[in-house]
């Protein structure tokens, strides 16, 4: 066994195998040195504060790859200006290494507009500020929802919730002022249901019951009756009911008369008005007699100077009173007659 192992042929094969193995290892390392450019390193150029276009050109000239990453917008720097670089400038890297560039974006990152419709204006203002948006103009228009946000506008166009806009964008808000009082109801008879609904919305009323004669829901049916009637004064936000048919209003006279008997009840104004009279209520208890005031005692008038010749006749003046009725005699006492004698 040992003799066969030390045979020169066996030793020769063993030496050849070891040589081949060592040669393969040497070739592998040489290939790795060539493939990885071992010993050939390139310094990272300083592209800080350059525009991203110029920085990319410099990296291409040096045989380096690049990856652009935009961070949060900083208004202190120009748009597309390189703010950071990794690895740092001056670091030695191999040819083909990827360099990461942090670039200032053109503007603020877009944010989603929150849903603030039909909400109180104070709460809506706070929600916009929390996501980084500003409140622009506040436009007030008549609406049943007082102090609530009706619409959001951006550059004259209506803005829907969830839309992406740049941060710190000013959004205009349309806010309701409450319903108007005593607004005339528009004339809807003869219009299609679709046209009537649009006219109702333009006058800030609400669409109420819409009854179709055939029981369908065709918007092209013609309105032949409405309640309240044309010209009636109502507050904005009130509902207007419609009756529609495929026939014209002139062909629906019987139906209109029937609806008038229900919704247009007439009040007879020819009857005399009812008068209400107040009936005095007497108390059964005997009231206390009113205090009687005695007439003040009359003082005699000053007598004029007596003439030289005195008349023997006396002139008597008396006051007479008309006889009072028996009823008055009971309540009133006849004053005593006083005589004034002039000599």
């Amino acid at each position: 066994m040992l003799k066969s192992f030390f045979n020169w042929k066996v030793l020769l094969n063993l030496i050849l195998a070891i040589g081949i193995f060592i040669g393969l290892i040497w070739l592998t390392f040489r290939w790795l040195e060539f493939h990885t450019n071992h010993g050939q390193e390139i310094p990272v150029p300083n592209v800080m504060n350059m525009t991203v276009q110029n920085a990319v050109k410099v990296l291409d000239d040096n045989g380096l790859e690049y990856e652009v990453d935009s961070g949060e917008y900083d208004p202190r720097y120009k748009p597309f200006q390189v703010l950071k670089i990794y690895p740092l400038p001056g670091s030695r890297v191999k040819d083909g290494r990827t360099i990461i560039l942090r670039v200032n974006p053109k503007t603020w990152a877009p944010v989603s507009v929150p849903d603030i419709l039909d909400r109180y204006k104070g709460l809506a203002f706070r929600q916009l500020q929390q996501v980084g948006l500003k409140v622009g103009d506040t436009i007030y228009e008549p609406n049943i929802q007082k102090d609530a946000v009706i619409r959001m506008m951006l550059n004259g166009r209506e803005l829907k919730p969830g839309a992406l806009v740049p941060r710190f964008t000013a959004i205009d808000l349309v806010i309701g002022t409450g319903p108007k009082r005593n607004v005339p109801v528009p004339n809807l008879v003869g219009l299609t249901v679709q046209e009537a609904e649009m006219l109702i919305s333009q006058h800030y009323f609400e669409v109420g019951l819409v009854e179709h004669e055939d029981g369908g829901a065709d918007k092209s049916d013609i309105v032949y009756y409405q309640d309240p009637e044309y010209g009636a004064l109502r507050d904005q936000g009130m509902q207007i009911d419609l009756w529609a048919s495929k026939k014209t209003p002139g062909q629906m006279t019987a139906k209109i008369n029937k609806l008038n008997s229900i919704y247009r009840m007439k009040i007879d104004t020819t009857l005399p008005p009812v008068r209400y009279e107040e009936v005095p209520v007497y108390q059964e208890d005997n009231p206390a007699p009113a205090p009687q005031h005695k007439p003040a005692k009359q003082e005699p008038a000053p007598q004029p100077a007596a003439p030289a010749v005195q008349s023997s006749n006396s002139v008597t003046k008396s006051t007479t009173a008309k006889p009072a009725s028996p009823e008055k005699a009971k309540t009133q006492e006849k004053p005593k007659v006083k005589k004034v004698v002039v000599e």
Side-chain angles (χ1 to χ4, degrees):
M1 184 70 181
L2 293 174
K3 289 181 179 180
S4 60
F5 179 77
F6 288 103
N7 190 356
W8 64 274
K9 293 182 179 180
V10 175
L11 294 175
L12 181 61
N13 293 332
L14 182 60
I15 293 172
L16 290 175
I18 294 173
I20 293 172
F21 178 75
I22 295 174
L24 290 175
I25 293 176
W26 181 80
L27 290 175
T28 300
F29 279 103
R30 292 293 297 173
W31 178 81
L32 289 175
E33 290 178 1
F34 175 78
H35 182 73
T36 57
N37 296 326
H38 183 66
Q40 299 179 4
E41 295 180 346
I42 303 173
V44 177
N46 187 6
V47 294
M48 293 286 294
N49 300 326
M50 291 186 180
T51 62
V52 65
Q53 294 83 0
N54 295 336
V56 167
K57 185 178 180 181
V58 173
L59 295 177
D60 285 337
D61 295 341
N62 286 270
L64 298 173
E65 300 293 335
Y66 57 87
E67 180 179 342
V68 179
D69 182 19
S70 60
E72 186 177 356
Y73 176 72
D74 193 341
R76 297 176 299 175
Y77 301 99
K78 297 180 181 179
F80 304 118
Q81 182 179 353
V82 178
L83 303 180
K84 292 182 180 180
I85 182 173
Y86 181 81
L88 296 177
S91 301
R92 303 188 66 85
V93 295
K94 296 179 180 180
D95 187 15
R97 173 69 183 273
T98 300
I99 307 300
I100 300 176
L101 302 177
R102 181 62 61 86
V103 180
N104 191 34
K106 183 178 180 181
T107 183
W108 297 99
V111 296
S112 178
V113 178
D115 186 4
I116 58 174
L117 298 179
D118 302 330
R119 296 189 179 180
Y120 177 67
K121 61 181 181 180
L123 178 61
F125 293 169
R126 289 193 295 269
Q127 285 186 317
L128 291 177
Q129 294 172 358
Q130 287 175 357
V131 299
L133 298 176
K134 295 182 178 180
V135 179
D137 295 334
T138 52
I139 306 169
Y140 290 87
E141 70 175 26
N143 193 280
I144 190 172
Q145 297 179 342
K146 186 177 181 180
D147 294 333
V149 178
I150 309 302
R151 292 189 305 276
M152 296 183 292
M153 307 293 293
L154 180 62
N155 298 329
R157 295 182 179 181
E158 187 173 355
L159 190 64
K160 299 294 184 181
L164 297 178
V165 296
R167 193 176 181 183
F168 298 112
T169 300
I171 297 178
D172 302 333
L173 301 179
V174 181
I175 301 174
T177 58
K180 286 185 177 180
R181 304 293 182 181
N182 298 327
V183 179
V185 175
N187 187 12
L188 308 174
V189 176
L191 303 178
T192 63
V193 175
Q194 184 177 4
E195 294 173 345
E197 290 178 350
M198 292 178 59
L199 189 59
I200 290 173
S201 178
Q202 290 175 3
H203 286 76
Y204 301 103
F205 289 107
E206 297 291 337
V207 179
L209 171 68
V210 181
E211 182 176 340
H212 296 263
E213 184 188 13
D214 55 1
D218 190 359
K219 297 288 186 179
S220 62
D221 288 355
I222 300 175
V223 177
Y224 66 88
Y225 196 82
Q226 69 178 80
D227 183 65
E229 61 183 334
Y230 165 60
L233 299 180
R234 295 291 186 273
D235 297 341
Q236 288 182 340
M238 300 294 292
Q239 291 186 348
I240 299 179
D241 299 335
L242 304 175
W243 284 261
S245 172
K246 297 188 181 300
K247 301 177 183 179
T248 61
Q251 297 173 336
M252 302 296 295
T253 305
K255 185 68 174 179
I256 292 174
N257 293 335
K258 183 179 179 181
L259 292 173
N260 280 332
S261 63
I262 301 174
Y263 297 98
R264 306 283 191 270
M265 296 180 63
K266 295 183 179 180
I267 301 175
D268 189 2
T269 58
T270 60
L271 298 176
V274 180
R275 296 181 179 179
Y276 299 93
E277 296 182 357
E278 295 184 359
V279 178
V281 179
Y282 295 97
Q283 297 180 358
E284 296 181 357
D285 299 336
N286 294 327
Q292 295 182 358
H293 298 281
K294 296 181 179 181
K297 186 177 181 181
Q298 297 182 0
E299 297 181 356
Q303 297 180 359
V309 179
Q310 296 183 355
S311 176
S312 60
N313 297 329
S314 306
V315 180
T316 304
K317 293 184 179 180
S318 63
T319 59
T320 60
K322 295 182 179 180
S325 61
E327 290 80 8
K328 293 184 178 179
K330 295 179 180 179
T331 56
Q332 298 181 357
E333 294 181 1
K334 183 179 178 181
K336 297 180 180 181
V337 179
K338 293 185 178 182
K339 297 180 180 180
V340 179
V341 179
V342 179
E343 293 180 357

